[in-house]
């Protein structure tokens, strides 16, 4: 009964029109894939580590301030056998703006950070050390040290940029979703299922864009940005695939 009430479906179009729309749908699917890759390029390395992490996205929308892991370990009295004098020197070195310059500064002699680390840390944090867990965080070379010696502070995007991005995404993605929703309603998919997909896409887009702003004050809202954005993209992709199936394989349903 649900299908019989429809007076028009995409499958009723001439083949030329159906193929043209199919090409456009494929273009939109490619655009969705490209947008995901753009997000990777845009957000990666905010935490100075390869790949995109929650910290990268949190830095973009809320800002992130992290303490250097090496400093945190020293302040937790690790390793416990290190003298307070050596510990104090290393903490002050990490807190300074001369981490690179003073790491192996010959003028510091035995008090140079590389010497202190060699004496106090490499028995466990060396690549050939016996401790299987500690050796996963080697401290033998400066390339190892710089991964754990720098504190990071990432500021969120400027509010003017956020406003411009919201303006662009709200209008473009909103119109895209309206068009895809209209096309979906012209397929043989049951109306309830189409309606559910449209509801999810619309709600997730609104939640995603709203969360951009709320996350500036509440860091945990970044998880809504991630979840809602992923759900919107996935739902829109499924809707487009359903339209594509209708255009290429659809035909009048019987009964």
């Amino acid at each position: 009964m649900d299908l019989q009430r429809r007076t028009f479906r995409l499958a009723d179009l001439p083949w030329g029109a159906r193929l043209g729309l199919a090409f456009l749908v494929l273009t939109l699917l490619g655009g969705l894939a490209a947008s995901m890759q753009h997000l990777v390029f845009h957000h990666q390395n905010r935490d100075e580590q390869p790949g995109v992490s929650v910290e990268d996205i949190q830095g973009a929308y809320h800002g992130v301030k992290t303490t250097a892991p090496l400093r945190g370990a020293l302040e937790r009295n690790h390793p416990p056998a290190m003298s307070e004098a050596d510990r104090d020197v290393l903490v002050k070195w990490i807190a300074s703006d001369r981490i690179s310059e003073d790491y192996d500064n010959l003028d510091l002699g035995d008090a140079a950070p590389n010497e202190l680390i060699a004496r106090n840390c490499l028995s466990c944090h060396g690549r050939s050390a016996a401790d299987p867990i500690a050796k996963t965080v080697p401290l033998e070379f400066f390339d190892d040290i710089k991964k754990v010696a720098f504190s990071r502070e990432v500021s969120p995007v400027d509010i003017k940029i956020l406003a411009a991005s919201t303006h662009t995404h709200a209008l473009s993605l909103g119109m895209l979703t309206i068009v895809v929703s209209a096309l979906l309603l012209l397929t043989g998919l049951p109306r309830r299922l189409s309606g559910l997909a449209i509801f999810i896409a619309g709600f997730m887009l609104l939640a995603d864009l709203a969360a951009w702003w709320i996350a500036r004050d509440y860091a945990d809202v970044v998880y809504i940005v991630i979840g809602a954005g992923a759900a919107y993209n996935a739902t829109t992709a499924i809707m487009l695939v359903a339209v594509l199936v209708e255009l290429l394989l659809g035909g009048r349903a019987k009964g």
Side-chain angles (χ1 to χ4, degrees):
M1 293 295 294
D2 184 50
L3 294 176
Q4 290 177 343
R5 287 199 301 268
R6 301 184 187 189
T7 58
F8 175 77
R9 274 178 52 180
L10 294 175
D12 296 327
L13 291 170
W15 263 106
R18 290 166 67 177
L19 283 176
L21 285 172
F23 294 147
L24 291 173
V25 169
L26 287 172
T27 301
L28 292 176
L29 284 169
L32 281 180
S35 71
M36 296 301 293
Q37 187 59 56
H38 169 71
L39 287 176
V40 172
F41 292 148
H42 183 66
H43 291 304
Q44 69 179 350
N45 292 328
R46 288 178 185 270
D47 61 358
E48 300 177 10
Q49 300 297 326
V52 177
S53 65
V54 173
E55 190 173 292
D56 286 318
I57 299 174
Q58 194 173 70
Y61 293 103
H62 178 76
V64 172
K65 185 175 183 180
T66 60
T67 299
L70 183 56
R71 179 174 181 173
L74 291 167
E75 291 178 342
R76 291 193 303 271
N77 201 41
H78 179 81
M82 179 183 289
S83 70
E84 287 304 313
D86 287 355
R87 191 183 308 278
D88 187 56
V89 170
L90 287 176
V91 169
K92 288 181 179 178
W93 164 65
I94 294 171
S96 74
D97 58 0
R98 292 182 54 83
I99 294 176
S100 301
E101 294 85 346
D102 286 344
Y103 169 68
D104 54 1
N105 190 337
L106 294 177
D107 293 337
L108 298 176
D110 290 342
N114 67 322
E115 296 291 341
L116 297 179
I117 290 171
R119 289 200 301 270
N120 293 282
C121 306
L122 293 191
S123 60
C124 293
H125 291 278
R127 287 174 173 79
S128 59
D131 190 319
I133 297 177
K135 68 186 297 184
T136 62
V137 185
L139 300 176
E140 295 171 277
F141 308 107
F142 186 68
D143 281 346
D144 301 325
I145 296 296
K146 66 183 182 182
K147 295 177 182 178
V148 295
F150 289 91
S151 298
R152 292 188 301 274
E153 183 170 358
V154 181
S155 299
V157 296
D158 185 89
I159 196 166
K160 293 180 181 179
I161 296 176
L162 182 63
S165 184
T166 304
H167 161 76
T168 302
H169 284 80
L171 295 180
S172 60
L173 292 181
M175 288 303 303
L176 169 66
T177 308
I178 289 172
V179 171
V180 175
S181 298
L183 291 174
L184 186 68
L185 291 172
L186 295 177
T187 69
L189 203 66
R191 284 292 178 93
R192 287 185 178 180
L193 194 56
S194 298
L196 177 62
I198 294 168
F199 167 77
I200 293 173
F203 178 75
M204 291 302 173
L205 180 59
L206 176 62
D208 184 21
L209 297 180
W212 289 6
W213 291 85
I214 301 171
R216 293 183 74 86
D217 295 316
Y218 303 98
D220 288 343
V221 176
V222 165
Y223 290 100
I224 296 179
V225 174
I226 297 170
Y232 170 78
N233 279 302
T235 304
T236 304
I238 292 170
M239 291 165 66
L240 286 168
V241 169
V243 171
L244 189 63
V245 170
E246 169 81 10
L247 291 168
L248 298 180
L249 303 176
R252 271 296 180 183
K254 302 294 184 180

